[in-house]
């Protein structure tokens, strides 16, 4: 902060710092405080607001953990988002490694382009393409039937379909942090390990992955946050036959706000999800022994 | 136990697309030898190293280690260890883990790994540094960690790719002596890649001088310096004054060429015949100030510079065509009274000069 003041002089420095502070307070701190406040109040008709009943309590949070269905969906969302994260890591690591260490020049450019192009369309449209593939008359069912594996089209909806949609939707957020991290690894280190007789799994376990840890942490955090926080992907993928059991916690928050009109419970639920995500970030940082500065890079 | 093996290349060529990095290399490196490949960058020496270590397979030809053909055997299964130019130590591992990595890869248990790493660190004079991180060590110490790491897998051949190039001059000279003594102590065959003739000459038992993918000459440092086989070797290894001319007289292993500076004579080991184009090369330190009794091999030019180097003095003369030649005069203690622009004559004995076929790489 002193640095900024020193570099830009008192007037400009104060302006820069003031703008940032205003931005953070108005757009981040105040809305969150407002949400916490709301989450602690009961859901009252407009007339009763500010009255004797309008006092702070934990009742909205208690509801989340006493309502069996909501609680189950909350945990399932967390676990599924973690599973999406792991799946995305498994899918993206080889791609990122290949891109970062094996290919050079135009081939690499084509690969990167191939990864980016799908992201020129909206997340909902990307998810919709998987919806089409997995639908009753979709490509997947047609292939299965064409090969004679099944006579009738299968109902492919469910948690699996939601997770698949998410892995696809967030691949880039996993690939690029991994790519950046692996790309900065000196190729000689891999060759040195190989020359010393190490097998491929050992080279990755001992040389590549330790080096890529900050990238893995960043990719996992981003993917997890996106997966836990999305409404669009589960909403769409649930429309697949057999998909109704795959409700996401964000959808409950959505319906509390927009269908149920219970903003107070919605705020409490949203805040609980935010807290879970923050816990996840710290767990990842501890697990991969990276600091907040590495993650912010 | 550590022991060296021989390495042989039989008509080895390596092409990357249209670019031929190594052309028809054939040579035999003995077990326990300190052998250097010396040449300018891009001459193919690193490619040869990669062919021996197994990171690349030759386009044609055979690489043998200890008499065994290496075709199809990947880098991790060859009895070689490579010391990279930038060392490629693992920065996230402790020093001892770096040293023991090759043993880890071979499934050796931790207690044995630790013990062996300790022994190797002692060999390279780094005892007690095992728990440190590589980043906490100095350049010279890292160098030694890399060598210990290479030796840990008990290679028969240790390949070193200009590992001293990142060090400062003092440390480099110290490491030369250390490398040499580690090599003698272990008996492992060392194959050393360098563009630094000083390194090659001081450390090696034998040297292969390379240029443009070709091996120009193989021999002891002494032989290469004294009897360069080609004009390239004569100019690349050490300094040489080179004169182009046509042979006017050749007999008894000695020949004389006619140059624009007069007749110059030298040894003629290749037996070049009268009328042939030839290059005469002579080392600066074999030149001396000419006396009136020197009718032959006498060159006169204008003094350009007198560089005082301490134990010797470099006298730079400009000949009448603008070329500079150098005479390196031993400092006997008397002052040299030569002023710039003064006409000076230098001479050299016939046996100090060598006649070679003109090479494509050096013009006269």
């Amino acid at each position: 902060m002193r640095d900024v003041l020193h570099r830009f002089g008192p007037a400009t420095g104060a302006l820069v710092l003031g703008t940032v502070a205003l931005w953070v307070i108005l757009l981040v701190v105040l809305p969150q405080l407002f949400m916490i406040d709301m989450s602690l109040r009961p859901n009252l008709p407009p007339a009763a607001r500010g009255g004797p009943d309008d006092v702070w309590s934990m009742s909205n949070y208690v509801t989340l953990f006493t309502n069996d269905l909501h609680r189950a969906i909350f945990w399932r969302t967390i676990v599924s988002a973690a599973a999406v994260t792991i799946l995305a890591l498994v899918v993206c690591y080889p791609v990122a490694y290949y891109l970062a260490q094996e290919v050079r020049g135009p081939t690499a450019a084509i690969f990167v382009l191939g990864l980016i192009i799908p992201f020129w369309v909206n997340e909902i449209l990307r998810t919709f393409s998987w919806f089409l593939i997995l639908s009753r008359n979709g490509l997947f069912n047609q292939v299965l039937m064409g090969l004679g594996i099944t006579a009738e089209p299968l109902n492919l909806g469910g948690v699996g379909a939601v997770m698949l949609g998410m892995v696809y939707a967030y691949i880039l957020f996993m690939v690029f942090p991994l790519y950046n991290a692996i790309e900065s690894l000196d190729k000689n280190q891999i060759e040195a390990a190989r020359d010393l007789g190490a097998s491929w799994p050992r080279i990755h376990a001992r040389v590549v992955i330790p080096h890529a840890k900050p990238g893995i942490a960043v990719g996992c955090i981003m993917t997890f946050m996106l997966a836990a926080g999305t409404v669009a992907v589960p909403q769409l993928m649930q429309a697949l036959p057999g998909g109704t059991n795959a409700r996401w916690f964000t959808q409950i928050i959505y319906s509390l706000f927009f269908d149920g009109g219970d903003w107070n419970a919605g705020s409490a639920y949203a805040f609980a999800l935010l807290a879970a995500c923050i816990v996840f970030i710290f767990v990842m940082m501890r697990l991969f022994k990276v600091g907040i500065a590495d993650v912010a890079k | 136990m550590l022991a060296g093996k021989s390495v042989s290349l039989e008509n080895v060529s390596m092409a990357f697309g249209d670019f031929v990095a190594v052309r028809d290399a054939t040579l035999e490196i003995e077990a326990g030898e300190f052998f250097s490949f010396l040449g300018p960058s891009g001459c193919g020496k690193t490619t040869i190293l990669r062919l021996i270590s197994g990171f690349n397979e030759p386009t044609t030809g055979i690489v043998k280690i200890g008499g065994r053909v290496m075709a199809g055997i990947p880098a991790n299964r060859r009895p070689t260890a490579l010391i990279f130019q930038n060392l490629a130590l693992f920065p996230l591992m402790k020093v001892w883990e770096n040293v023991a990595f090759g043993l880890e890869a071979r499934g050796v248990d931790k207690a044995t790994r630790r013990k062996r790493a300790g022994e190797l660190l002692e060999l390279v004079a780094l005892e007690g540094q095992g728990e440190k991180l590589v980043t906490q060590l100095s350049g010279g110490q890292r160098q030694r960690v890399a060598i210990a790491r290479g030796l840990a897998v008990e290679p028969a051949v240790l390949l070193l790719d200009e590992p001293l190039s990142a060090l400062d001059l003092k440390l480099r000279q110290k490491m030369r002596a250390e490398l040499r003594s580690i090599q003698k102590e272990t008996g492992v065959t060392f194959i050393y890649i360098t563009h630094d003739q000083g390194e090659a000459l001081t450390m090696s038992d034998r040297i292969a001088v390379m240029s443009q993918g070709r091996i120009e000459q193989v021999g002891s440092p002494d032989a290469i310096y004294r009897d360069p086989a080609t004009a390239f070797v004569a100019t690349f290894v050490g300094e040489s004054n080179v004169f182009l001319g046509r042979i006017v007289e050749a007999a008894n292993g000695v020949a004389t060429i006619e140059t624009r500076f007069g007749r110059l004579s030298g040894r003629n080991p290749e037996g070049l015949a009268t009328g042939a184009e030839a290059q005469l090369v002579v080392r600066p330190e074999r030149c001396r100030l000419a006396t009136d009794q020197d009718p032959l091999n006498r060159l006169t030019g204008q003094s350009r510079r007198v560089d005082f180097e301490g134990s010797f003095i470099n006298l730079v003369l400009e000949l009448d065509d603008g070329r500079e030649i150098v005479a390196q005069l031993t400092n006997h203690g008397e002052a040299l009274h030569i002023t710039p622009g003064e006409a000076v004559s230098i001479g050299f004995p016939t046996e100090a000069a060598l006649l070679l076929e003109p090479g494509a790489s050096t013009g006269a």
Side-chain angles (χ1 to χ4, degrees):
Chain A
M1 205 189 290
R2 187 161 304 197
D3 216 40
V4 174
L5 282 176
H6 185 77
R7 193 166 347 138
F8 294 108
T12 320
L15 185 71
V16 170
L17 289 176
T19 314
V20 173
L22 194 74
W23 191 72
V24 170
I25 290 168
L26 269 183
L27 297 177
V28 181
V29 178
L30 280 181
Q32 291 293 339
L33 287 176
F34 185 65
M35 201 179 80
I36 293 172
D37 173 67
M38 186 173 277
S39 74
L40 292 169
R41 293 176 192 278
N43 185 25
L44 298 169
R49 283 186 200 151
D53 293 335
D54 199 358
V55 288
W56 277 10
S57 76
M58 294 299 286
S59 67
N60 288 323
Y61 293 93
V62 172
T63 317
L64 169 58
F65 288 94
T66 47
N67 182 322
D68 285 341
L69 183 65
H70 287 183
R71 194 185 57 224
I73 292 176
F74 176 78
W75 288 119
R76 200 184 65 215
T77 300
I78 300 294
V79 170
S80 305
V84 166
T85 307
I86 292 166
L87 266 175
L89 179 62
V90 169
V91 171
C92 295
Y93 181 83
V95 177
Y97 177 80
Y98 183 73
L99 217 55
Q101 289 286 340
E102 299 286 336
V103 289
R104 288 276 171 275
T107 326
I110 289 168
F111 254 95
V112 172
L113 209 63
L115 279 171
I116 292 176
I117 284 176
F119 283 74
W120 289 350
V121 300
N122 181 282
E123 177 185 330
I124 296 173
L125 293 179
R126 257 181 289 141
T127 311
F128 195 67
S129 66
W130 270 105
F131 175 83
L132 291 175
I133 293 169
L134 296 178
S135 65
R136 239 182 121 69
N137 297 315
L139 183 70
F140 195 73
N141 268 325
Q142 285 184 10
V143 169
L144 286 186
M145 291 193 296
L147 292 172
I149 294 169
T150 166
E152 284 291 299
L154 301 174
N155 292 336
L156 294 166
V159 181
V162 174
M163 283 168 53
L164 178 66
M166 285 186 189
V167 169
Y168 179 69
Y170 305 130
I171 264 181
L172 270 202
F173 297 93
M174 185 63 97
V175 163
F176 279 107
L178 286 179
Y179 169 82
N180 280 334
I182 297 172
E183 209 253 335
S184 66
L185 176 65
D186 175 14
K187 203 177 177 60
N188 283 350
Q189 297 228 342
I190 297 168
E191 290 203 334
R194 186 148 181 72
D195 185 58
L196 291 166
S199 58
W200 275 118
R202 188 178 300 276
I203 291 172
H204 283 277
R206 292 286 275 146
V207 179
V208 186
I209 292 174
H211 178 85
K213 264 182 179 180
I216 295 173
V218 171
C220 286
I221 288 170
M222 294 224 272
T223 308
F224 180 85
M225 303 280 270
L226 288 165
T230 179
V231 186
V233 179
Q235 192 90 18
L236 243 173
M237 295 308 265
Q238 258 158 47
L240 283 171
T244 42
N245 63 342
R247 265 169 83 77
W248 219 244
F249 191 65
T250 45
Q251 292 172 286
I252 296 176
I253 299 173
Y254 182 94
S255 62
L256 281 172
F257 272 94
F258 294 98
D259 308 328
D262 188 349
W263 286 27
N264 305 83
S267 297
Y269 281 26
F271 194 71
L273 186 62
L274 177 66
C277 288
I278 290 171
V279 167
F280 181 84
I281 291 177
F282 281 107
V283 167
M284 291 308 285
M285 277 169 33
R286 177 60 66 85
L287 211 61
F288 288 96
K289 296 195 182 69
V290 292
I292 200 95
D294 296 314
V295 176
K297 255 187 261 179
Chain B
M1 238 353 267
L2 289 164
K5 279 188 180 161
S6 65
V7 175
S8 60
L9 306 179
E10 293 169 15
N11 305 103
V12 168
S13 293
M14 180 75 197
F16 297 99
D18 290 339
F19 175 70
V20 182
V22 176
R23 286 168 203 273
D24 201 26
T26 297
L27 60 81
E28 186 80 32
I29 299 167
E30 285 163 33
E33 197 174 16
F34 197 126
F35 192 95
S36 294
F37 285 93
L38 173 65
S41 57
C43 73
K45 56 192 192 298
T46 299
T47 306
I48 285 205
L49 204 69
R50 292 179 68 85
L51 292 174
I52 297 171
S53 64
F55 284 117
N56 294 110
E57 289 280 347
T59 316
T60 56
I62 296 168
V63 176
K64 285 184 188 167
I65 299 177
R68 200 168 145 224
V69 175
M70 286 289 122
I73 300 177
N76 53 348
R77 300 217 328 266
R78 292 196 183 186
T80 59
L82 177 58
I83 310 291
F84 288 78
Q85 186 164 12
N86 67 355
L87 306 183
L89 295 172
F90 306 124
L92 301 171
M93 294 183 204
K94 288 176 182 167
V95 167
W96 82 266
E97 288 177 302
N98 262 281
V99 173
F101 184 81
L103 301 175
E104 187 189 318
R106 283 160 178 73
V108 176
D109 68 272
K110 191 168 177 180
T112 315
R113 289 204 312 258
R114 210 178 246 285
K115 183 167 156 291
R116 188 77 189 111
E119 290 165 9
L120 284 157
L121 286 172
E122 203 170 315
L123 174 74
V124 296
L126 282 176
E127 51 273 70
Q129 311 272 19
E131 291 302 317
K132 287 190 180 170
L133 285 173
V134 174
T135 45
Q136 291 170 292
L137 300 183
S138 69
Q141 288 174 322
R142 285 182 209 184
Q143 197 74 58
R144 296 199 290 249
V145 173
I147 289 158
R149 185 178 72 174
L151 290 174
V153 300
E154 305 195 350
V157 181
L158 195 70
L159 304 158
L160 302 103
D161 186 4
E162 308 208 26
L164 304 186
S165 55
L167 303 181
D168 62 60
L169 183 67
K170 266 254 150 31
L171 201 53
R172 208 152 63 217
Q173 283 170 342
K174 186 162 164 278
M175 284 307 299
R176 282 182 197 172
E178 284 188 22
L179 277 180
R180 182 78 188 152
S181 79
I182 290 169
Q183 193 267 328
K184 287 296 154 217
E185 203 170 320
T186 57
V188 170
T189 310
F190 273 39
I191 300 181
Y192 194 93
I193 295 292
T194 183
H195 65 269
D196 181 332
Q197 45 153 324
E199 278 178 13
L201 292 173
T202 50
M203 289 192 288
S204 319
D205 294 316
R206 285 192 306 150
I207 299 170
V209 183
M210 290 189 70
S211 167
Q212 298 177 351
R214 259 181 234 289
I215 294 176
E216 299 261 326
Q217 186 175 6
V218 180
S220 67
D222 174 54
I224 283 188
Y225 192 79
R226 189 168 22 91
D227 290 317
T230 65
F232 173 80
V233 176
T235 47
F236 189 75
V237 182
E239 299 288 319
S240 285
N241 296 309
V242 183
F243 304 94
L244 190 68
R246 195 170 291 281
I247 295 186
V248 289
E249 204 182 312
N252 302 328
V254 173
T256 302
I257 57 169
E258 182 76 50
T259 72
R260 60 177 299 173
F261 314 106
R263 291 193 169 196
L264 299 172
S265 305
R267 289 179 290 132
N268 183 17
E270 292 178 43
L272 301 173
T274 307
E277 288 260 313
Q279 266 179 332
L280 181 136
V281 297
V282 58
R283 300 285 186 193
E285 70 269 21
R286 303 301 300 272
C287 299
R288 51 185 160 71
L289 290 172
T291 59
D292 293 338
Q293 282 81 47
D294 281 327
L296 202 63
N297 294 342
R298 191 187 166 99
L299 294 154
T300 303
Q302 278 193 327
S303 157
R304 299 293 303 168
R305 280 199 325 272
V306 179
D307 296 335
F308 183 75
E309 302 273 358
S311 60
F312 60 89
I313 296 155
N314 277 334
L315 170 63
V316 183
L317 297 186
E318 187 183 316
L319 299 180
D320 62 11
D321 66 342
R323 297 181 41 205
E324 290 189 342
I325 61 167
V326 183
Q328 199 176 82
L329 310 171
T330 309
N331 185 355
H332 292 297
E334 308 109 54
L336 197 60
H337 294 291
I338 296 173
T339 50
E342 188 181 334
V344 180
S345 291
I346 60 163
F348 52 86
T350 297
E351 75 271 11
L354 188 64
L355 284 159
L356 298 167
E357 266 183 85
S361 45
T362 44

